[in-house]
Structure formats: structure tokens, C-alpha cells
Amino acid sequence: MGWTASDFERLDPRLFRSFLAVVKTQSFTGAAAAASLTQGAVSQQVARLEERIGVQLFVRVGNKVLTTPAGQLLTEYARAYMEHATHFLEQINEEFESLRGTVRYAMPESCIHSPHFSRLLDRRKSHSEIVLAIDLKPSAGVLADLMNGDIDFGFVSQEVSQAAVVSYPFCFEEYVLLQSADDEALTCPVTLDDLLALPMVVYPSMLDCLNRWIAVYLAESDPVNLLALRVTGEFNDMRGALAMVEGCLGCTVMPRHVAAPALAQGRLREIIPAHHEGAASLAQQMVWIVRLKERHMPARVRRVIQWFLEMHSELRPVPEELLR
């Protein structure tokens, strides 16, 4: 007959239900009752199968309907197909409806030093089957991973206007210019040139913090790049960068909550922009939770995002201007 794999496209799995009912009951009448169909519908569906395959599937012997050798082969195939389909649907249900499995997200490093992360771990204790897989990277990297489908959601310190992305306002960070308490006290820069003349310690997401600070306190809208800075120290994480600043290698700009312990213990000094009256709390940026609009999120991902959103009500109110 010369059958090929493409010929199986002729097999309509929707017809297997009636076929297998006839095999089981050895009767078109019994199959109709088992499949909740009329006898005529069962007969038509079996006839369609026989027409598409080109062989006889049943033969009548007395009051019974017995399968032919071809029908026996199709029985094995149809049963295996239905078992695989059932297993597949069970796996889909497990993936999207259960609270078991991996939740992948990414965020700037500053987020892991905030109280939110410890609160997340506390809530996760009651859902031990949720596995957290977290990457730390700047906001641009988080967004790139999201668009590539590498993570379920992410945190970014900038509002995303892309139509494919849904953003939830989460909290805000305040950025401060820091130096060592053991270093000679510096006058807060008044111009961008003043700032660029300062010795600076950098870390992966430092430019985002620095440019927000510059936009508020120096009223400069054009972002500064790394080449413009007088770099005197570089570390690949915030804690290492803070150690460099404490060791008098230079200044840095960092979220206040990350530097708060060192500030409270007198190891660091904030360079306060006295020339900008009332601006001490304005160098801040909204942190957003982002996810793909069209991606159906499993229940475990929805649960973790909901945990974070519930934390929002525990925080001090977000300034109204940051929500516009």
C-alpha cells in the first residue's frame, strides 16, 4: 500500500473514541451507549476511519463485531495515542495549575538587598515545592531575558513602554552619593563637570543609579557613560563596591537601602546636595515588576508575583508623581 508517516495525517484522533468503544463492547449498539452517541454516529465514524485507512477494521460474526488484523493494529495505536494524550494533559495541568516547579525571574542586584527578598523566602516556606531560580543583572539585561522567554518575570528600575510587556509598579529606590567616612569630606558637585572630576567606584548597575542622581540633582537629561567617569575602582557586585568606597578608593552612587547599615555605623558618609533645597528624597526611581502580556503564567508564577504585590501594601506609599 506504500504508507508513509505523512499518511497518518488522515487519522483523525477524534474518531478513536468510537472505534475503541466498538473494540471493547464488540457491538455498535454497546459502543453507542459507552460513547454517549447514537448508533448511526458510531457507524459513520468507523466508516470514516476505514475509508481514510483503506482497510476493513471490523467483521460481523454472529451477534458480535470482531476486529480484523488491521483493526487490531489500529487498536494498539489508538490506545497508545489516548494514553499519551492523557499523560500530556496531566503534565500540562501539572505545569500550569499546580504550585510545584521552578519560578525563574531576574532583577537588579539592589533588589536582593531589600527587605522584599527575605519576605519572599518567608512566604515560600509554606510552598516548599516552588523552586526559585534567580539571576542578578541590570534592568536592560532583565528586559532582554524577558523578551527572549528565558524568565517568567523580572524587576526593572525603569518603566517599560513596549506593548508586549505588562508592568506593575512595585516600590521605589532612593539613590545617594557616598564616600568613605575616613576620606576627606567632599563638597557636593554643583555641575556635571564637578561630578565627573570625582574618583568613582563602579559596579554593574551603577550607571543607572548615577544617571538618575544626575537627572535630579544636576538637571542633566543626557546619560553619562562609563568612559566619561574617573574610575578608580571596579567591582562586580554592590557589597564589594561598598568595601572599596569604605577603603577610600572613591565615591559611588547606590540605593540608600543597600548602604544603610554602613551609613548607620558611620563607615560611610552621604554627600548631600545642599544647593538643591528639599531634594534629598527626590533622587528615586520606581521599581517595576514586568512580564510578557501574551504569555500564560503557571499558577506557581502567578502566586510568587502575587506575594510581591501583596508586599506593596506593607511599604510606605509610592509618590504619586512616580506612578504617572
Side-chain angles (χ1 to χ4, degrees), residues 107-116 136-137 157 173 175 203 205 209 238 254-255 257-258 287:
M107 59 186 179
E109 186 191 352
S110 62
C111 293
I112 204 170
H113 300 306
S114 74
H116 311 116
L136 300 180
K137 53 186 61 182
S157 58
E173 294 182 327
Y175 305 120
Y203 55 90
S205 59
C209 303
M238 288 182 162
M254 192 168 289
H257 71 266
V258 181
V287 175

Side-chain angles (χ1 to χ4, degrees), residues 7 11 13 43 51 57 78 84 94 97 104 114 118 125 164 199 244 250 270 276 278-279 281 297 306 309 318:
D7 290 315
L11 290 178
S43 298
E51 179 183 356
L57 298 175
H84 283 302
E94 175 72 12
E97 299 304 329
R104 302 167 301 158
S114 74
S118 60
K125 289 176 183 176
M244 285 185 168
E270 180 181 356
H276 201 301
S281 63
M297 295 186 299
Q306 185 60 38
L309 293 178
V318 177

Side-chain angles (χ1 to χ4, degrees), residues 131-298:
V131 178
L132 299 175
I134 306 168
D135 285 328
L136 300 180
K137 53 186 61 182
S139 295
V142 173
L143 189 58
D145 282 357
L146 184 72
M147 300 303 292
N148 290 335
D150 296 330
I151 55 176
D152 297 307
F153 69 96
F155 290 84
V156 295
S157 58
Q158 58 191 35
E159 186 172 6
V160 179
S161 59
Q162 297 183 24
V165 176
V166 176
S167 301
Y168 304 95
F170 177 56
C171 66
F172 64 94
E173 294 182 327
E174 180 189 352
Y175 305 120
V176 291
L177 179 59
L178 303 165
Q179 71 168 136
S180 172
D182 295 331
D183 210 347
E184 181 181 351
L186 296 175
T187 301
C188 185
V190 177
T191 67
L192 182 58
D193 288 339
D194 294 339
L195 180 74
L196 298 181
L198 295 177
M200 198 68 67
V201 174
V202 300
Y203 55 90
S205 59
M206 182 264 191
L207 280 178
D208 291 338
C209 303
L210 176 65
N211 281 311
R212 179 60 182 169
W213 193 96
I214 290 173
V216 172
Y217 294 127
L218 303 183
E220 295 281 350
S221 57
D222 293 333
V224 169
N225 61 44
L226 192 63
L227 295 177
L229 301 180
R230 181 189 164 199
V231 177
T232 53
E234 185 172 355
F235 213 100
N236 66 353
D237 70 46
M238 288 182 162
R239 294 295 170 85
L242 278 180
M244 285 185 168
V245 175
E246 288 184 35
C248 302
L249 264 70
C251 308
T252 198
V253 175
M254 192 168 289
R256 181 180 292 279
H257 71 266
V258 181
L263 284 168
Q265 295 166 16
R267 304 196 309 272
L268 291 178
R269 178 189 299 119
E270 180 181 356
I271 305 175
I272 300 175
H275 69 284
H276 201 301
E277 184 178 357
S281 63
L282 294 182
Q284 50 196 5
Q285 180 67 46
M286 175 65 69
V287 175
W288 303 80
I289 298 176
V290 291
R291 67 171 182 85
L292 290 180
K293 181 181 297 183
E294 299 298 328
R295 182 171 181 173
H296 177 59
M297 295 186 299

Side-chain angles (χ1 to χ4, degrees), residues 62-73:
N63 293 328
K64 294 184 177 181
V65 178
L66 304 180
T67 54
T68 64
Q72 293 172 2
L73 290 175

